[in-house]
Each structure stands twice: as C-alpha cells, then as structure tokens.
Amino acid sequence: MSITPQIKRVLLMNAASNIIFNYIGIFVNLYIWESAKQIKDVTWFNLVMFISWSIAFAVGARLLSAFSTRFLIRTVALSGTATFLLLSFLHLDNRVLWIAIIAVPVGIMWGFYASAQNITLSVFGRGKDFEGYFSYASIIGQAVSILNPVVFALVIKWVGYNGSFLLMFLFVILLLVVSFSIPPITLAKEPEPLFRNMSFSKVFCYPAIRWMVPSCLAAGVFLQFQALFAIIFTFSVSSDKLVIALLNVMYALSSIGSMFLYRRLQIQNGIWLAIGMASMCIGFLCALLQHSFFLVISNILTTIGLFYFGTVWNTGQFKIISKHTAIEQARIFLWREWFLNVTRILLLVSAMFVKDFQGGYFIALMIAAMACALLVPLFSGKSAASEENRQQGVQLPSGH
C-alpha cells in the first residue's frame, strides 16, 4: 500500500507524538488515579483537557492564517515541556486545581496537534492515501502501545514518576526536531479569512456532509465512554504498573489482529464498521459482570471495535472533506472537532457522578454509549450514499 512522501513525513510526526500521548494516556492518568483511586479525579482531568483541546483546536486553525503547521507542532512540543515540568515540580494542596493546571497544557497539545494533522493530511491526501495513512498510523500506534507501556512501567519502577517525566523531555525534543521536516501547510494565502462564511448552513451545505454532524455527535459519546472507562477498568484490575503495561500490550495485540483481518478479508467498509460497533457494545456489556477477567475482555472487545471505527469512519469522512478547498476544509474540521468534543465533554460531566460500576447511573451512561455506537454505522451509511449520489451527477453548490 503506497503512500506519498508528504504523507510519510506526517506519519513520522504521528510516531513522535504518539509516544508522548500514549504515555500521558496511561501513566499520567494512573499518577492521578493512584492518590485517591476515585473516578471523579480521572474524569476531571479528562474534562478540563477536552475543554482546553476544543479551544486550542480553534486557536490552532486561526493561527494557520498567519503561520504554518510547523509552528503548531513546535507549540505542541512547548506544551509538552510545560506539562512535564508541572508534573515534576508543581505541588498544591488543592487537588482539583492541581489536576486542572496539569490538564490545560495537555489539552493544548492535543488541540494544536489535531489541527495540524487534519489540515496537512487533507491537503496532501487523495483517495487511497487516506486508507494507507490510517492503516500505517494504526501500525505505528500499536507498536507504540506495545513498547511504550512496558518500557515506562519499568522506568517508573526503577526511578519513579519524576524520572519518567524527565525522560519524556527526550521525546518532546524529538517532536521538535520532526517539526522541521513536516510539510509547512498554511492558510495565509487563502483569499478569505477562516471565520468568514463559518456559519453552519454555509459549511454543511449538502447532504453527505450534513450527515457527518449526527455521526460526530454520536461518536463523541461512545468514544469518550470507552476511553474513560477502559482506563479505569484497567486500573481496577491491578495496581502493579507492569501488569497495567502488559494489559495495554494485550489490547494493542488485539488491535493488530483486527488489522490483519481487515486487510485479508474482502469485506465492505460499512460491514466492518457495523462489526466494530457490535464488538464495542458487547464489550460494554461484559463490564457489567464486574470481574477482573471480564473487565479485561471488555477492553479487548472495545479496542477491536475502536480499530474498525477509527480506520473506516475517519477514511470515509476525510475522502469527502478532501474534495473542498483548503480554507473550506479548515472550517469543516473546526466544526467537526467541536461536534466530537461537545458530546465528549457532556459525557465526562455526566461521569463525574459515577461512584461505581454497578449503579443505575453507570448503566444509564452505558446504554447511551451503546445506542450512539449503533447509530454511527447508520449515519455513516447515509453520508456515503449521499456522496455517491452526488458523484453520479449532482454537483456541489456554487463556491465548493
């Protein structure tokens, strides 16, 4: 599966940043969890992070009108530096405030990175490039998911969290170096400002792209439910960092197995997406059995579902978005990120009241997440069908 040189450089950026984000996703969340082992602490961290992420994504898109994607990635590296300095040296009695201060630069990292990656990939990607990119990105992600947890679990055992925070500076420097090699995409030469013609009706002006809206809203709910509780389920199985690392390796291997099947079996993408969402729902149900074995099975099944979702769903949306001009793509991505994050944030606000995994409130959240997961293939199918009809003769509205 061939990819262009520009996409290869985006993958290099993806690899460098993946190491940092994977570490934060596991060990910073674990660092926060270990103090009181309360769901609300991890939820609060992720809530502040996503609010910061949403704001940073918009700011990053606006900065592309004056700077290039290289500037955004360098800002990501600087935010990473701030994150690990705060983790190393900031100590506050007010735990809520401490967690929020740590979460803000993490959110800035994610927001700026997502903004740079989306516009770069969409500008350079065409057709098969998206499938190639998301496939190779999955391989990179799984390789990092296998090596990173084990390596850093051992580092933390030997030199503690502070030693691992200092080691992360090496990867922040690596990301800074990589920023000089990625394509310098900018919106500075676009004929109109980003926030002109930014209204919903002007951005989502034909059926295929309008169907993305409910799809993104539904995806945000089940994605955040899976992301939050997969972490907490894993932490509930064991407090041993090496065991937690090995469990994450198991999840990565299950995703690699899913990728192998995806490449070998000639099945339509719509069916793969339905299989992924069914796997996600079964995984959610397994968690209700509240035994360590079933919590692990739950995470394996939701990881498999997440692979098929990420590969098929993202590829389909990027193919449609890439047919627009660069400035139009930036507007679509901005709205898309907001739609994804608004339901992520609502889920996290709701999860603040979860005290255990057996109460009716947790089950209600799970049912909502399952319903949203099952709606995604429907909305994606509507979008794909509308785009196919448009390609067969219906033209985009004027200006697109």
Side-chain angles (χ1 to χ4, degrees):
M1 191 178 292
S2 61
I3 52 176
T4 63
Q6 292 95 337
I7 296 296
K8 287 180 181 177
R9 281 181 274 168
V10 178
L11 284 169
L12 181 62
M13 175 187 76
N14 179 284
S17 57
N18 235 314
I19 295 170
I20 300 170
F21 292 139
N22 178 270
Y23 174 89
I24 291 172
I26 298 172
F27 294 108
V28 174
N29 275 289
L30 179 59
Y31 186 58
I32 291 168
W33 165 265
E34 281 185 335
S35 177
K37 292 182 170 56
Q38 293 189 348
I39 296 172
K40 67 178 183 179
D41 284 351
V42 177
T43 304
W44 174 241
F45 172 75
N46 285 274
L47 176 60
V48 175
M49 182 189 73
F50 273 107
I51 292 172
S52 303
W53 178 340
S54 302
I55 296 170
F57 191 94
V59 172
R62 179 65 182 85
L63 286 172
L64 285 173
S65 298
F67 304 98
S68 76
T69 46
R70 293 181 176 180
F71 175 82
L72 294 191
I73 297 303
R74 289 164 194 163
T75 306
V76 170
L78 290 175
S79 298
T81 301
T83 298
F84 295 114
L85 282 174
L86 289 169
L87 284 166
S88 299
F89 301 111
L90 179 67
H91 303 285
L92 297 176
D93 293 332
N94 188 326
R95 185 163 177 78
V96 172
L97 179 61
W98 177 80
I99 291 173
I101 291 172
I102 299 298
V104 168
V106 175
I108 293 172
M109 289 172 68
W110 269 113
F112 275 33
Y113 173 78
S115 186
Q117 176 187 244
N118 284 356
I119 195 66
T120 301
L121 181 59
S122 194
V123 166
F124 282 109
R126 290 295 181 269
K128 287 287 185 182
D129 281 340
F130 295 120
E131 188 176 341
Y133 172 82
F134 287 115
S135 183
Y136 282 112
S138 292
I139 295 172
I140 292 169
Q142 299 315 320
V144 170
S145 295
I146 289 171
L147 294 173
N148 225 44
V150 175
V151 170
F152 279 100
L154 294 173
V155 168
I156 292 170
K157 278 183 173 289
W158 290 333
V159 295
Y161 277 108
N162 282 342
S164 70
F165 297 153
L166 293 174
L167 182 59
M168 285 306 300
F169 285 115
L170 296 178
F171 296 101
V172 170
I173 293 170
L174 174 62
L175 183 59
L176 191 62
V177 171
V178 168
S179 72
F180 289 91
S181 68
I182 64 170
I185 310 299
T186 181
L187 301 176
K189 296 182 181 179
E190 292 296 314
E192 58 184 19
L194 172 65
F195 289 99
R196 183 184 295 172
N197 298 319
M198 187 68 189
S199 67
F200 179 89
S201 60
K202 290 184 178 179
V203 174
F204 296 90
C205 54
Y206 60 98
I209 201 164
R210 278 198 291 269
W211 278 112
M212 288 186 189
V213 177
S215 187
C216 287
L217 291 171
V221 174
F222 82 80
L223 280 174
Q224 193 52 51
F225 185 89
Q226 190 275 339
L228 176 64
F229 289 103
I231 292 171
I232 295 172
F233 292 164
T234 301
F235 296 165
S236 300
V237 170
S238 175
S239 60
D240 188 292
K241 295 173 183 61
L242 190 55
V243 172
I244 290 171
L246 291 174
L247 286 172
N248 278 277
V249 169
M250 186 190 302
Y251 306 149
L253 290 173
S254 67
S255 189
I256 290 172
S258 304
M259 181 174 61
F260 175 78
L261 292 176
Y262 178 73
R263 289 186 166 190
R264 291 295 299 270
L265 301 179
Q266 299 300 313
I267 298 176
Q268 292 181 348
N269 275 351
I271 296 175
W272 278 125
L273 185 57
I275 291 171
M277 295 303 92
S279 177
M280 187 79 69
C281 290
I282 295 170
F284 289 161
L285 291 172
C286 283
L288 293 176
L289 298 174
Q290 285 304 298
H291 185 278
S292 295
F293 173 78
F294 290 106
L295 291 178
V296 172
I297 295 298
S298 171
N299 280 356
I300 290 173
L301 290 172
T302 59
T303 300
I304 290 170
L306 205 57
F307 169 81
Y308 292 128
F309 168 80
T311 302
V312 175
W313 188 78
N314 278 317
T315 297
Q317 292 203 348
F318 271 71
K319 283 182 178 178
I320 295 173
I321 295 170
S322 69
K323 295 181 173 68
H324 291 253
T325 66
I327 195 70
E328 289 168 351
Q329 289 175 36
R331 291 173 186 143
I332 295 167
F333 280 129
L334 189 50
W335 274 104
R336 180 179 183 264
E337 202 74 10
W338 283 341
F339 286 132
L340 278 167
N341 282 355
V342 70
T343 44
R344 281 180 179 266
I345 290 167
L346 288 174
L347 189 283
L348 285 165
V349 170
S350 302
M352 290 287 290
F353 302 98
V354 173
K355 297 187 183 302
D356 56 55
F357 307 134
Q358 296 177 331
Y361 193 79
F362 173 75
I363 293 172
L365 281 183
M366 177 180 289
I367 291 171
M370 289 172 61
C372 288
L374 294 173
L375 285 171
V376 164
L378 172 65
F379 295 142
S380 295
K382 293 280 190 182
S383 181
S386 298
E387 178 64 9
E388 186 176 348
N389 291 336
R390 188 182 69 81
Q391 290 297 322
Q392 290 174 353
V394 181
Q395 298 298 314
L396 276 169
S398 58
H400 292 272

